Amino acid sequence: MSYKIPFIKPDFPSAEDVAADYARILEANWFTNFGPFEQKFATAVAAYVGDGYFASTFSSATSALLASLLAVLGRGDGSRYVIMPSFTFAAGAEALVWCGYKPLFIDIEKTGLHMDLSAAETALNDPAFDQKIAGILFCNAFGVGTADIEAWEQLADRIGLPLVIDSAAGFGSLYSASRKVGSAGRCEIFSFHATKPLSIGEGGAVVSRDEALIKSLVSIQNFGFVEKGSAARLGFNGKLQEINAAIGLRQLKRFDSILLNRRAVLAKYKSGLNPSAFKFQQNAENASLCFAAVLVQDPAKRDAYLSALREAGVEAKIYYSPSLHQQPYFKTAARHAQLTVTESVDGSVLSLPIHDNMRAEDIALIINVLNG
Ligand SMILES: *Cc1c(COP(=O)(O)O)cnc(C)c1O
């Protein structure tokens, strides 16, 4: 079914612009394997996060997660756990399993929908997991930066475990006025999938302060090669193609205006929707906003809102639901703590479309349908 107002509508570079890039790729006879567009894009992604950061691009955030967890945690034997939220996308938990770890899902807090610090303390102090926790995979839920990032970094330092951050939907988001998402933990992982604010089709990146880590990620995504054609470590193919990097460079050039537009849509939802019926995620106004997540205050009405929107031609969705511990694969591949808030949010969250160039009348229509 096609909707009058689709869930995503990325504003991609024009066919002429992409054709010009493609002509250069043909001329250079360099299609992938760290060509000139990829090198420029990696440098630009790191520079976007800030001075002193390094980046490695990837074919997707999933391959970036896989390589990061492999590099930071080493390959596990399946006996140890990594703390992560159940309220997230499956990719991070799947990457953990591929790396030889079991996800240990813990609960989230109600305001930012991020992993809950006290739930992490509880898991870390649980004798059942003594010496069995290898690290923390934090997720900036829906790409919105947590207000507690310093506390998470302090916790990781104190317990001496690595903190890796899945910020897949959050390129362009801020933790605070003075700190960008991408700047925290051992490294942060981004997605440039068509559904994300900086969209290039398929693609991802890892950003870190640690240049040696980024170098090892470049090797892992290139079959573990260090010297040409000789595997020095376990790797796979996770490389980004030139054409996608070229699109990324064009998207980055106008990213500031894309962000302004997206944040303006959120501001309209916030001022237009009945505040006693709909609440927003803390710090969403500083996010790049793959969509607008709202918490329906009367969960019994959530599905009716969803159908009313769909009937009006609006494609709304429910992310991240079902949360991971309710998905069949993770019932055996993972363990979980008490997930009271996760399950309640799972039943009340609703994701509304945000487009790069969203028409005022489309936003108004959505608000009208929801306010009833
Ligand atoms: C989108 C997303 C991913 C997957 O990104 P891909 O680039 O499609 O692999 C992983 N984690 C989270 C939290 C996401 O939102």
Side-chain angles (χ1 to χ4, degrees):
M1 165 164 186
S2 84
Y3 291 90
K4 196 167 71 182
I5 306 178
F7 191 61
I8 60 158
K9 201 175 177 192
D11 182 19
F12 263 63
S14 71
E16 292 75 25
D17 284 347
V18 177
D21 293 337
Y22 183 58
R24 265 181 249 146
I25 291 168
L26 283 179
E27 202 188 331
N29 191 34
W30 199 343
F31 303 92
T32 183
N33 285 35
F34 316 108
F37 282 112
E38 188 283 332
Q39 291 178 34
K40 255 199 201 163
F41 185 50
T43 304
V45 165
Y48 184 87
V49 171
D51 281 347
Y53 288 91
F54 301 89
S56 169
T57 68
F58 275 87
S59 53
S60 67
T62 302
S63 62
L65 278 161
L66 186 51
S68 301
L69 293 167
L70 203 55
V72 170
L73 301 173
R75 213 164 159 235
D77 62 4
S79 68
R80 291 197 300 159
Y81 295 86
V82 171
I83 291 177
M84 67 170 293
S86 173
F87 189 70
T88 184
F89 189 67
E94 289 172 339
L96 277 179
V97 176
W98 279 112
C99 290
Y101 296 88
K102 280 189 202 145
L104 173 56
F105 300 132
I106 67 165
D107 213 358
I108 53 170
E109 36 81 18
K110 288 176 199 162
T111 49
L113 313 184
H114 295 112
M115 212 154 60
D116 187 71
L117 266 165
S118 63
E121 298 274 7
T122 304
L124 289 161
N125 291 327
D126 184 339
F129 296 109
D130 188 34
Q131 307 295 316
K132 285 195 171 162
I133 294 178
I136 301 172
L137 178 59
F138 190 86
C139 174
N140 277 312
F142 304 135
V144 174
T146 172
D148 291 332
I149 192 60
E150 275 85 22
W152 281 99
E153 290 187 311
Q154 282 156 16
L155 172 69
D157 278 353
R158 176 162 62 75
I159 59 178
L161 291 179
L163 172 67
V164 173
I165 305 175
D166 179 355
S167 298
F171 192 78
S173 295
L174 302 171
Y175 286 116
S176 64
S178 58
R179 189 161 190 197
K180 277 188 173 147
V181 167
S183 63
R186 287 294 305 279
C187 60
E188 295 202 39
I189 292 96
F190 293 113
S191 171
F192 305 129
H193 187 263
T195 50
K196 314 290 173 161
L198 189 97
S199 50
I200 69 173
E202 290 275 10
V206 181
V207 176
S208 174
R209 241 188 270 273
D210 182 347
E211 189 176 14
L213 172 62
I214 293 298
K215 282 206 171 120
S216 62
L217 295 179
V218 172
S219 165
I220 290 172
Q221 68 164 285
N222 192 27
F223 311 100
F225 295 163
V226 178
E227 299 282 322
K228 247 194 164 118
S230 173
R233 52 160 63 83
L234 179 64
F236 58 90
N237 179 3
K239 299 184 300 283
L240 182 71
Q241 300 198 72
E242 283 292 274
I243 190 66
N244 298 95
I247 293 172
L249 284 165
R250 291 194 182 273
Q251 296 295 64
L252 262 181
K253 270 197 199 134
R254 52 190 192 159
F255 194 46
D256 287 345
S257 80
I258 288 177
L259 284 182
L260 281 175
N261 287 350
R262 300 181 75 86
R263 287 176 184 151
V265 177
L266 178 78
K268 284 189 182 163
Y269 282 141
K270 271 190 167 176
S271 63
L273 286 171
N274 176 357
S276 58
F278 303 98
K279 297 245 181 300
F280 292 82
Q281 220 181 336
Q282 178 189 32
N283 207 23
E285 63 280 5
N286 291 317
S288 48
L289 302 164
C290 47
F291 45 73
V294 297
L295 292 170
V296 175
Q297 297 301 289
D298 180 357
K301 290 190 182 153
R302 195 262 311 267
D303 291 351
Y305 287 133
L306 188 63
S307 339
L309 286 169
R310 290 190 170 170
E311 257 162 54
V314 179
E315 187 181 18
K317 294 201 175 190
I318 293 175
Y319 283 109
Y320 309 108
S321 179
S323 42
L324 300 184
H325 72 290
Q326 313 197 52
Q327 298 183 17
Y329 176 69
F330 296 110
K331 287 195 171 148
T332 50
R335 290 204 29 203
H336 67 86
Q338 188 98 333
L339 297 172
T340 321
V341 181
T342 300
E343 287 181 0
S344 126
V345 169
D346 208 326
S348 63
V349 74
L350 179 62
S351 302
L352 306 177
I354 289 187
H355 303 163
D356 291 345
N357 293 302
M358 199 157 178
R359 301 186 322 165
E361 60 261 45
D362 289 349
I363 304 168
L365 180 138
I366 291 170
I367 292 171
N368 284 338
V369 170
L370 291 175
N371 282 345

